[in-house]
Amino acid sequence: MTMRPIRLLGDAVLRSPAEPVTSFDTELHALVTDLMDTLLGAPGRAGVAAPQIGVGARVFVYDADGQVGHVVNPTIELSEELQDGDEGCLSIPELYFPTPRAMSATVHGFDQYGTALTVSGSGFLARALQHETDHLDGKLYIDTLRGDTRRQALRDIRAAAWSRR
């Protein structure tokens, strides 16, 4: 089991769009295994994207609403209906802020062997799919915050012990 360290806000890899995967080889299989070990190796994790472990590849794993899996080279379709709820991120530890997201999401992509797959969900699973896809585009959930919520998030981040390293 290889739990990889999570990169924190401030690491450039989190702000760089990930590159599409072009080889469905043993290197990709090892990455998916490391991502899954990192996801399942600690309680309370809903997803981990490759950039969060320092790899700039379009791959993420998820464990939400009883569904566990991975997606390579995802594209996402979102419903117009929105959901409210707090959101957090392993790369911004211990901080949660109300973050509007689409109520439903459908991700199209591939598994680690190159077989096409589709994952659809609503509620928490939809939130996780959106969050992890955003990571692959170099976006963090705090980027979507507005007004007082954004100001509070930025204050809390500056005050966090991990951000002063």
Side-chain angles (χ1 to χ4, degrees), residues 3-10 14 34-53 61-63 87-96 131-132 135 140-142 162 165:
M3 273 190 66
R4 304 266 294 267
I6 298 292
R7 301 293 180 98
L8 299 179
L9 178 65
L14 296 174
D34 284 358
L35 284 166
M36 197 60 75
D37 288 349
T38 302
L39 172 67
L40 300 176
R45 294 181 171 183
V48 177
Q52 290 183 280
I53 62 169
V61 296
Y62 61 92
D63 179 5
E87 195 163 319
C89 180
L90 298 173
S91 295
I92 307 171
E94 301 173 6
L95 299 177
Y96 300 86
H131 183 106
E132 299 310 325
H135 272 300
L140 299 170
Y141 84 100
I142 58 169
W162 56 264
R165 292 181 189 169

Side-chain angles (χ1 to χ4, degrees), residues 83-88 95-101 124 127 141 149:
Q83 61 173 304
D84 291 320
D86 283 351
E87 195 163 319
L95 299 177
Y96 300 86
F97 299 97
T99 307
R101 291 282 190 179
F124 186 63
R127 182 177 292 278
Y141 84 100
T149 303

Side-chain angles (χ1 to χ4, degrees), residues 70-132:
H70 69 276
V71 183
V72 178
N73 294 338
T75 60
I76 192 164
E77 299 170 11
L78 304 174
S79 68
E80 290 185 25
E81 182 183 5
L82 296 177
Q83 61 173 304
D84 291 320
D86 283 351
E87 195 163 319
C89 180
L90 298 173
S91 295
I92 307 171
E94 301 173 6
L95 299 177
Y96 300 86
F97 299 97
T99 307
R101 291 282 190 179
M103 178 59 78
S104 300
T106 298
V107 169
H108 302 281
F110 301 90
D111 69 11
Q112 63 184 317
Y113 304 103
T115 303
L117 59 78
T118 299
V119 181
S120 294
S122 60
F124 186 63
L125 177 57
R127 182 177 292 278
L129 294 172
Q130 292 168 76
H131 183 106
E132 299 310 325

Side-chain angles (χ1 to χ4, degrees), residues 19-73:
E19 294 293 323
V21 171
T22 57
S23 296
F24 293 80
D25 55 13
T26 55
E27 188 176 319
L28 176 62
H29 304 306
L31 173 60
V32 170
T33 299
D34 284 358
L35 284 166
M36 197 60 75
D37 288 349
T38 302
L39 172 67
L40 300 176
R45 294 181 171 183
V48 177
Q52 290 183 280
I53 62 169
V55 179
R58 292 191 65 79
V59 182
F60 71 77
V61 296
Y62 61 92
D63 179 5
D65 285 347
Q67 293 191 48
V68 178
H70 69 276
V71 183
V72 178
N73 294 338

